[in-house]
């Protein structure tokens, strides 16, 4: 029996594998990657590697075995039809007879276009008949804290979210929830709505940045159209910029406030607070 993690060298996947290594022998972990060189460090630690690509179904033919527990981390190629990519993994997992397929989805409350691929994948997973766990991950602190350079340069947090609030958590938090499911019991056919314990607004985010940097940083709310223009001006592809602006519209409507408490219950600890996330980002 193996615990198999797809997208294992991605931002979330790396956290998952590192945390798995703290709980299970490396030989029980299979990291599915597209580029073996990027996973050389994991292989050196005893993690098994499987080279496979969501865009090449035949590469998944021998990745899974009966009884495996699999984490399907959603792809990030928004322009290549993610539901079809995910279907490749679901089909291969079903053919192999895996014991559990966990999928990193989006909150059930999210109506933005970003959620469409996730809802389609959830439907495919349920239709497969496989034992499943839906990890409906909320927003990540890193979506903001990894892009601090323009914020600090212009002394402004610019979003199209109005006074909306968001229950963000760190990648490490969401990874810990996935690890709890992959290593625990009783998670079959469960859906978890995951988010940070404390929601925050962007005025609070700007105030926390101000406090920790000693600079006066303000929150400047803009329209979705203006935000899309800012993002494309910074080099983001138009469709992605539109998608992110759509998420902000959902934040303004309260769709990314997650009050279930599922994340802290699964991990057995409080989620990362905003203060700590900002501190870590400013040190990096």
């Amino acid at each position: 029996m193996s615990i198999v993690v797809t997208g294992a060298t991605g931002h979330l996947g790396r956290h998952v594998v590192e945390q798995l290594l703290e709980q299970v022998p490396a030989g029980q972990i299979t990291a599915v990657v597209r580029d073996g060189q990027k996973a050389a460090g994991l292989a050196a630690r005893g993690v098994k590697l499987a080279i496979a690509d969501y865009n090449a179904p035949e590469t998944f033919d021998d990745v899974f075995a009966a009884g495996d527990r699999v984490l399907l981390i959603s792809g990030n190629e928004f322009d290549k039809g993610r539901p079809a990519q995910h279907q490749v993994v679901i089909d291969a997992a079903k053919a192999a007879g895996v014991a559990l397929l966990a999928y990193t989805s989006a909150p059930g409350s999210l109506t933005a276009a970003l959620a469409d691929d996730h809802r389609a994948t959830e439907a495919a997973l349920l239709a497969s008949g496989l034992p499943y766990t839906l990890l409906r991950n909320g927003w990540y602190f890193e979506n903001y804290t990894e892009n601090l350079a323009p914020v600090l340069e212009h002394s402004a947090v610019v979003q199209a979210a109005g006074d909306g609030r968001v229950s963000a958590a760190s990648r490490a938090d969401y990874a810990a929830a996935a690890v709890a499911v992959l290593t625990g019991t009783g998670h079959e056919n469960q859906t978890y709505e995951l988010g940070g314990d404390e929601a925050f607004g962007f005025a609070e985010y700007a105030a926390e940045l101000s406090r920790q940097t000693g600079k006066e940083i303000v929150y400047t709310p803009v329209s979705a159209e203006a935000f899309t223009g800012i993002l494309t001006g910074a080099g983001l592809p138009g469709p992605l910029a539109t998608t992110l602006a759509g998420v902000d519209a959902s934040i303004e409507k309260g769709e990314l406030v997650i009050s279930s408490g599922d994340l802290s219950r699964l991990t057995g600890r409080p989620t990362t607070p905003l203060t700590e996330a900002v501190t870590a980002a400013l040190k990096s």
Side-chain angles (χ1 to χ4, degrees):
M1 188 274 290
S2 229
I3 295 175
V4 185
V5 180
T6 74
T9 53
H11 290 306
L12 180 62
R14 284 191 176 278
H15 279 286
V16 172
V17 174
E18 287 294 337
Q19 293 187 36
L20 281 171
L21 284 166
E22 296 173 1
Q23 297 198 33
V24 299
Q28 291 183 15
I29 304 168
T30 298
V32 182
V33 299
R34 286 189 292 191
D35 183 349
Q37 288 299 112
K38 290 185 177 179
L42 295 177
R45 296 164 68 183
V47 174
K48 298 175 184 175
L49 298 188
I51 310 301
D53 189 326
Y54 294 154
N55 300 303
E58 68 279 2
T59 62
F60 275 92
D61 285 350
D62 299 313
V63 168
F64 307 123
D68 283 350
R69 290 173 165 234
V70 179
L71 176 64
L72 169 54
I73 294 180
S74 57
N76 59 7
E77 295 176 313
F78 294 91
D79 59 338
K80 292 191 177 179
R82 292 194 298 169
Q85 291 180 326
H86 300 156
Q87 187 73 57
V88 167
V89 179
I90 293 169
D91 289 345
K94 182 175 182 179
V98 304
L100 180 72
L101 181 57
Y103 172 64
T104 60
S105 191
S109 54
L110 185 66
T111 64
L114 179 70
D116 293 347
D117 289 352
H118 293 297
R119 298 289 93 84
T121 301
E122 288 185 4
L125 180 51
L126 268 62
S128 74
L130 283 167
Y132 68 86
T133 306
L134 299 181
L135 296 165
R136 288 179 168 171
N137 289 355
W139 219 223
Y140 297 73
F141 276 129
E142 288 87 348
N143 291 337
Y144 306 114
T145 58
E146 286 183 349
N147 299 289
L148 282 180
V151 172
L152 299 178
E153 179 184 351
H154 300 289
S155 296
V157 171
V158 180
Q159 300 286 154
D163 294 327
R165 303 174 71 77
V166 56
S167 302
S170 70
R171 286 195 189 109
D173 291 332
Y174 292 111
V179 169
V181 166
L182 293 168
T183 60
T185 58
H187 301 292
E188 291 82 3
N189 305 328
Q190 298 296 313
T191 298
Y192 298 114
E193 298 287 348
L194 306 177
D197 294 335
E198 298 291 336
F200 66 91
F202 290 100
E204 292 168 66
Y205 177 50
E208 185 59 32
L209 286 169
S210 298
R211 186 182 71 80
Q212 294 200 31
T213 62
K215 298 177 63 175
E216 184 177 353
I217 297 173
V218 299
Y219 170 44
T220 304
V222 297
S223 68
E225 293 75 18
F227 191 51
T228 301
I230 291 169
L231 294 176
T232 54
L236 265 65
L240 179 56
T242 300
T243 296
L244 293 176
V247 171
D248 268 20
S250 286
I251 290 173
E252 185 170 21
K253 291 185 284 188
E255 293 178 3
L256 280 177
V257 173
I258 313 297
S259 57
S260 67
D262 284 350
L263 183 52
S264 54
R265 273 197 297 273
L266 276 176
T267 62
R269 57 173 171 76
T271 62
T272 303
L274 175 63
T275 299
E276 188 176 314
V278 170
T279 300
L282 290 173
K283 285 181 179 177
S284 63

